[in-house]
């Protein structure tokens, strides 16, 4: 047996080396655009024109980052993305919290407090996940106008909450199916009500799926452009719209380093979220995949 293991060891090591080589090459390939963006964002404009995209900066500078961060836009000219960065934060945080909370309650009610027609309700909510966003632009704009929320951050929060509920309900419903119903039945016999059971039993075991919901919603809302450009005014635009305005605004000289710095600033929050919580996202997706 020892001889067999020794004979197989070199082949296993070779296979592992090949696997790691392929993985490293794949990582380098997918990181190349990010590296190009980073290099370009810290190069002086003269160096960009004279060198290649992959050249390491010879005289690195963070002046493009400072200019990209900039100040608020005045008139039709955009001087930076700072104000719009905080607009996105003001939109993302309440939208994520509200849609995740409602999705958790919906998933709980649809699995542990089933009522007549609950499957139909879930099917309709699931259908909402597949409605193209472009189809609802006009009716949503009319609704926001009736509510007095047109061109406001509150209006964008409402839009993202409405579209997020379908996905968060799906996440939590599939997760809560794996939670034994006997726990809820026992709590009901002890006199616990709807919200007490949710708070004491369901919520403590929901950490994996909460992470999934938060990451999913955060990424979708932060990267949204369509709703941002359709339902916001000049001073309430999210960072994605401001980035588009900055890139497409020219005063005679195209500043590629400033454009790349602004793109990096806009992408940093989602990169940080995935770096810090990416492994929990995968665990949360598979946590409710097997019942029992």
């Amino acid at each position: 047996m020892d001889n067999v293991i020794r004979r197989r060891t070199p082949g296993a090591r070779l296979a592992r080396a090949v696997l790691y080589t392929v993985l490293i090459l794949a990582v380098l390939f997918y990181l190349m655009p990010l590296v190009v963006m980073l290099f370009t964002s810290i190069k002086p404009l003269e160096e960009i024109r004279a060198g290649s995209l992959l050249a390491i900066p010879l005289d690195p500078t963070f002046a493009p980052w400072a200019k990209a961060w900039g100040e608020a836009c005045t008139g039709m000219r955009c001087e930076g993305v700072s104000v719009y960065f905080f607009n996105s934060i003001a939109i993302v945080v309440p939208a994520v919290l509200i849609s995740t909370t409602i999705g958790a309650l919906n998933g709980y009610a649809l699995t542990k407090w089933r009522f007549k027609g609950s499957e139909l309700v879930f099917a309709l909510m699931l259908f909402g996940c597949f409605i193209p966003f472009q189809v609802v632009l006009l009716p949503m704009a009319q609704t926001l106008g009736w509510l007095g929320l047109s061109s406001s951050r509150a209006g964008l929060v409402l839009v993202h909450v409405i579209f997020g509920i379908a996905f968060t309900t799906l996440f939590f419903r599939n997760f809560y199916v794996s939670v034994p119903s006997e726990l809820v039945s026992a709590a009901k016999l002890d006199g616990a009500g709807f919200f007490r059971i949710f708070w004491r039993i369901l919520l403590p075991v929901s950490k994996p799926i909460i992470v999934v919901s938060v990451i999913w919603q955060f990424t979708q809302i932060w990267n949204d452009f369509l709703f941002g450009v359709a339902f916001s005014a000049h001073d309430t635009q999210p960072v994605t719209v401001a980035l588009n305005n900055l890139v497409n605004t020219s005063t005679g000289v195209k500043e590629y380093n400033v454009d790349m710095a602004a793109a990096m600033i806009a992408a940093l929050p989602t990169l940080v979220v995935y770096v810090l919580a990416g492994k929990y996202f995968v665990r949360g997706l598979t946590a409710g995949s097997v019942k029992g």
Side-chain angles (χ1 to χ4, degrees):
M1 180 64 69
D2 293 339
N3 292 334
V4 172
I5 294 176
R6 290 195 187 104
R7 285 198 298 269
R8 291 180 178 178
T9 299
R13 290 177 179 173
L14 178 61
R16 178 173 294 184
V18 171
L19 175 62
Y20 277 100
T21 301
V22 172
L23 291 176
I24 291 172
L25 290 175
V27 168
L28 293 176
F29 176 78
Y30 281 102
L31 285 179
M32 192 62 66
L34 183 62
V35 173
V36 171
M37 289 175 61
L38 180 60
F39 283 176
T40 304
S41 69
I42 59 176
K43 288 180 182 178
L45 198 56
E46 297 77 13
E47 189 175 330
I48 294 174
R49 293 170 179 168
S52 65
L53 288 175
L54 296 178
I56 297 176
L58 301 176
D59 185 21
T61 174
F62 286 96
W65 284 71
K67 188 171 183 178
W69 182 250
E71 299 295 339
C73 293
T74 55
M76 294 302 293
R77 183 180 177 184
C78 188
E79 300 291 348
V81 298
S82 57
V83 171
Y84 307 106
F85 185 92
F86 292 109
N87 278 346
S88 287
I89 293 177
I91 294 168
V92 167
V93 172
V96 169
L97 292 178
I98 295 172
S99 61
T100 299
T101 301
I102 296 177
L105 289 171
N106 286 344
Y108 165 52
L110 291 172
T111 54
K112 305 307 178 186
W113 291 75
R114 293 188 177 182
F115 51 90
K116 186 177 181 179
S118 60
E119 292 299 325
L120 176 60
V121 171
F122 176 68
L124 292 175
M125 297 191 72
L126 186 62
F127 177 73
C129 297
F130 301 97
I131 298 177
F133 292 164
Q134 295 84 351
V135 173
V136 300
L137 288 181
L138 182 57
M140 184 64 73
Q142 292 176 331
T143 302
L144 293 178
W146 294 334
L147 296 176
L149 297 176
S150 297
S151 303
S152 67
R153 286 197 294 258
L156 278 175
V157 170
L158 177 62
V159 170
H160 288 299
V161 167
I162 290 173
F163 278 92
I165 287 175
F167 290 97
T168 55
T169 299
L170 174 63
F171 292 152
F172 281 96
R173 189 262 186 188
N174 291 343
F175 181 82
Y176 287 151
V177 165
S178 65
V179 177
S181 298
E182 291 77 8
L183 293 175
V184 177
S185 299
K188 290 179 180 179
L189 290 176
D190 290 338
F194 180 89
F195 288 104
R196 188 173 183 180
I197 294 175
F198 175 73
W199 183 260
R200 293 294 182 88
I201 298 178
L202 274 298
L203 199 59
V205 301
S206 301
K207 181 179 178 181
I209 202 63
I210 290 175
V211 172
V212 170
S213 178
V214 168
I215 293 178
W216 175 270
Q217 281 292 89
F218 181 91
T219 304
Q220 296 298 311
I221 298 172
W222 187 273
N223 292 333
D224 169 69
F225 177 79
L226 179 62
F227 291 153
V229 75
F231 301 133
S232 65
H234 189 68
D235 57 344
T236 60
Q237 291 174 342
V239 69
T240 49
V241 179
L243 176 61
N244 177 74
N245 295 340
L246 178 65
V247 171
N248 291 322
T249 299
S250 177
T251 57
V253 178
K254 190 63 177 175
E255 296 178 303
Y256 297 101
N257 49 1
V258 176
D259 295 345
M260 292 298 179
M264 290 290 295
I265 292 172
L268 277 177
T270 51
L271 289 175
V272 171
V273 166
Y274 271 107
V275 168
L276 297 180
K279 61 180 180 180
Y280 301 106
F281 182 79
V282 177
R283 292 178 185 175
L285 283 176
T286 58
S289 59
V290 178
K291 185 176 181 179

